[in-house]
Amino acid sequence: MSKKTFNPIRAIVDSMRVEPNPKKPMISLSIGDPTVFRNLPTDDEVTRAVKEALDSGRYNGYAPSVGYQSCREVVAASYSCPEAPLKAQDVILTSGCSQAIELALAVLANPGQNILVPRPGFSLYKTLALSLGIEVKFYNLLPEKSWEIDLKHLESLVDEKTACLIVNNPSNPCGSVFSKSHLQKILAVASRQCIPILADEIYGDMVFADWKYEPIAALSTSVPILSCGGLAKRWLVPGWRMGWILVHDRRDIFGNEIRDGLLRLSQRILGPCTLVQGALEHIMRHTPAEFYHNTLSFLKANADLCYTALCAVPGLRPIRPAGAMYLMCDRV
Ligand SMILES: *Cc1c(COP(=O)(O)O)cnc(C)c1O
């Protein structure tokens, strides 16, 4: 398994020994970690919640492998909407969104099956899939359509071994946000081809003013969806390693097989950190709205700055981001 495991980002970042030019301040653009420059701190309420959890002495032990019931309830309540209701039993807490994606892939696909993955896209999907013996097929995103999915190309890749479709919205590394109608077209492909969706929605709600984020599960009653998320990006604490899977399966297509499978996989190692679970309810309920708002204004101002600067670079065509923390260029 180790020989099948290669994470291109960590391989670069963990072994990077760059001698900076002493005459120039270095701006490292190599990794999506909002804490590196200390200019995007989390909110005081968030840190206070963890301090209180620590001082209480109640969160030093083992929690259930899928997380405390009260935490699952609070996550369910936070992400529930009338079109896609969630209960505590639909939530599995994990060690970051990465473990959520790993469990979701492992439960949806058998070795030898394949998954459909965006290009350009987040490299972890391929890393995890290959180490699990799952094949990866890349579908194209279209720069001229603000990185929407090339739906024809997507559908042409489906075969009898296709086990799931990964949709990452808002996107790393494109900074794109899919419209409702585009998401509906993606769902139509999944429905027609009978493939479940693994939705990587770690940047959910991180969209700039004038754009709207739609959780994909809210737009379908039939396609079964595992939505993966976490605290890392919206609350700016990737090191705290808290993520979740939201199981959306209103037609009971996954049935018990997927839910029991996720439970068993969660029991391999205890993923979700108990201490952060102790803070989760406070974080979800009491992070002030201005914090989210200020983070997004800051990200938007920086996105605009990068966009304008990159427009002046011959050979590059930046696509203006609509959310998340990234900007992707096309070639001219
Ligand atoms: C950062 C990121 C993740 C991983 O999140 P963690 O909670 O740090 O594991 C997953 N998907 C995308 C698209 C990301 O950018």
Side-chain angles (χ1 to χ4, degrees), residues 32 95-99 101 122 124-125 168 170-172 200 202-203 229-233 238 241-243 326:
S95 173
C97 183
S98 305
Q99 195 200 6
I101 296 166
F122 187 48
L124 184 69
Y125 311 134
N168 175 214
S171 158
N172 174 0
D200 182 347
I202 183 90
Y203 298 99
L231 289 185
K233 311 294 165 55
R241 313 308 305 135
M242 178 54 61
Y326 307 92

Side-chain angles (χ1 to χ4, degrees), residues 154-313:
L154 172 71
E155 196 152 10
S156 75
L157 297 174
V158 177
D159 63 22
E160 69 285 352
K161 288 185 172 175
T162 302
C164 97
L165 161 62
I166 297 190
V167 177
N168 175 214
N169 179 54
S171 158
N172 174 0
C174 298
S176 50
V177 178
F178 292 155
S179 67
K180 189 171 181 174
S181 73
H182 187 58
L183 288 166
Q184 282 163 335
K185 287 177 194 153
I186 299 166
L187 285 161
V189 174
S191 174
R192 200 159 45 236
Q193 300 291 346
C194 295
I195 35 180
I197 291 179
L198 192 172
D200 182 347
E201 298 183 324
I202 183 90
Y203 298 99
D205 296 310
M206 292 185 76
V207 300
F208 305 148
D210 303 337
W211 295 85
K212 191 167 183 309
Y213 164 68
E214 308 269 359
I216 194 169
L219 302 175
S220 171
T221 53
S222 55
V223 176
I225 296 168
L226 298 180
S227 167
C228 298
L231 289 185
K233 311 294 165 55
R234 192 158 180 234
W235 287 269
L236 305 171
V237 288
W240 290 7
R241 313 308 305 135
M242 178 54 61
W244 46 76
I245 303 173
L246 312 176
V247 182
H248 293 279
D249 184 25
R250 287 189 287 295
R251 295 272 173 90
D252 205 22
I253 293 166
F254 282 152
N256 284 340
E257 196 177 351
I258 295 297
R259 287 173 190 272
D260 293 350
L262 286 171
L263 177 63
R264 279 193 301 274
L265 289 172
S266 80
Q267 291 168 342
R268 296 179 73 209
I269 60 153
L270 205 55
C273 171
T274 309
L275 182 62
V276 181
Q277 286 187 67
L280 198 55
E281 177 163 4
H282 190 96
I283 291 171
M284 294 256 143
R285 296 207 198 279
H286 299 292
T287 304
E290 309 88 78
F291 166 74
Y292 304 123
H293 179 83
N294 294 345
T295 305
L296 281 168
S297 312
F298 185 95
L299 290 171
K300 165 82 171 120
N302 282 286
D304 287 344
L305 187 90
C306 288
Y307 177 81
T308 308
L310 288 168
C311 278
V313 179

